[in-house]
Amino acid sequence: MNTPNQTAGHLDGAALLNEVEAFHRRFNIFPREGAYVAVALWDAHAHLLDAFDSTPRIAFLSPEPGSGKSRALEVLETLVPNKMAAVDASPSALFRSVAGIEGERPTIVYDEIDTVFGPKAGENEQLRGFLNAGHRRGRLMYRCVGDGANQTVQGFPSYCAVAMAGLGSLPDTILTRSVIIRMRRRAPNEKVEPYRLGTHEAQGHAIRDRLAAWADQVRDQVKGAWPQMPDGITDRPADVWEPLLAVADAAGGDWPARARAACVELVKASQSDDKASLGIRLLTDLRDHVLIGVDKLPTIAVLDRLNALEDAPWADTDGKPLDSRRLSKMLKEYRTANDEPIVSRNIRTAGGILKGYYAEDLHDAWNRYCAAPPQNSATSATPLQPSSQPVLA
């Protein structure tokens, strides 16, 4: 007798993805409906890796322990091919495993990723480089092999699927290559089925084997596919979601529509939740909260306003308020419309000449790096009070 998602040897991709999603829902509470869709598509994409030019990382992150991150990885690793737990793996072991020296290429499952990139991480630049390079097919990691004077340079393939879980955040180079699931502790009314390794691992493996069979069935269809992106999804987010949307299109049913809705939902959430770039946060705060209704402002007034923002990091950057030196260093990384560094310039005030910043110097950076302001930003932003604004001549 055929299984519910199989007819005459042909697997129904949509029904199979429904089964993958349902398996996750038994044990995981994700913060958004789109997360269930994304995780199911990611599991399937891991079986089709060589059909794509890139592979998105998936990261389960939370501010506190006990938020279900490790359980999400436990369930995921039963559904992906050749899972490899990498918490204690050395860079050399990862290079050789992905290169196939010790068997088939693994799907790397990295719990406690904060121990690699957190404040206590120490020196882990090799692992960081490996995770960055392995996002794109064909990238090699070059290392010296051999002993003493007999060493030679060897390139190790790094392309592989990576799932991560950890506290806090990740470097922006990894965040922008990842589908981010922001986990939360379960509320008292949120119930999940207890996960029992001895029972449920075998159930996950059975689904995994059907995913592998379905992947063989649609591999030629997926290879070289150019899925249509939702409006507004471009650049790096499009790179991240392209393989997942290709999987959804191959599965059919309601998965193409659900995948695109999840893409928009999670990309928007990432843009609003993640503060990977402190520079972009600075530019946005200058636009939305500081240079409101004025075309220039002395540095001392800029700093006063930034450090007074309650929900911003400026009053406590490395244990002290943002100062003029650090402000100058951060803004110099960005350019004016004339391709010159953004720097302070002289501003004539009633009290003399002060150094400060001109809105016209920031306009090009605002357009290039900052998300569009809310439609009511002009009324919701709080301008500087007249008493705190220097009198400009």
Side-chain angles (χ1 to χ4, degrees), residues 212-242:
W214 178 73
D216 289 338
Q217 178 181 298
V218 301
R219 195 175 308 277
D220 290 340
Q221 175 185 347
V222 170
K223 185 176 293 186
W226 292 90
Q228 183 177 358
M229 288 290 151
D231 290 342
I233 305 300
T234 60
D235 301 325
R236 185 56 61 78
D239 288 342
V240 168
W241 277 88
E242 185 176 283

Side-chain angles (χ1 to χ4, degrees), residues 221-371:
Q221 175 185 347
V222 170
K223 185 176 293 186
W226 292 90
Q228 183 177 358
M229 288 290 151
D231 290 342
I233 305 300
T234 60
D235 301 325
R236 185 56 61 78
D239 288 342
V240 168
W241 277 88
E242 185 176 283
L244 305 186
L245 297 185
V247 169
D249 289 347
D254 63 355
W255 278 90
R258 294 186 69 205
R260 284 162 176 82
C263 171
V264 172
E265 180 185 8
L266 295 182
V267 168
K268 285 185 176 179
S270 177
Q271 290 172 343
S272 62
D273 293 344
D274 294 330
K275 300 180 177 64
S277 172
L278 207 58
I280 292 178
R281 176 65 188 269
L282 175 60
L283 290 173
T284 304
D285 284 347
L286 287 172
R287 181 192 67 186
D288 295 347
H289 300 290
V290 176
L291 288 163
I292 299 291
V294 295
D295 60 357
K296 53 186 176 292
L297 207 59
T299 301
I300 187 171
V302 171
L303 291 170
D304 284 347
R305 184 57 179 166
L306 287 172
N307 289 326
L309 292 175
E310 292 184 358
D311 295 326
W314 313 118
D316 185 9
T317 55
D318 297 329
K320 58 184 180 181
L322 182 68
D323 58 24
S324 60
R325 185 180 298 275
R326 182 165 184 183
L327 176 65
S328 173
K329 182 178 179 181
M330 293 178 69
L331 288 178
K332 280 181 180 178
E333 296 293 326
Y334 301 94
R335 317 288 287 189
T336 69
N338 295 326
D339 197 30
E340 297 176 350
I342 296 173
V343 297
S344 62
R345 295 195 279 142
N346 289 338
I347 296 177
R348 184 179 301 277
T349 73
I353 303 295
L354 298 177
K355 287 290 187 180
Y357 292 91
Y358 284 70
E360 64 180 357
D361 293 343
L362 291 153
H363 278 303
D364 190 68
W366 287 338
N367 289 333
R368 293 177 186 275
Y369 296 103
C370 300

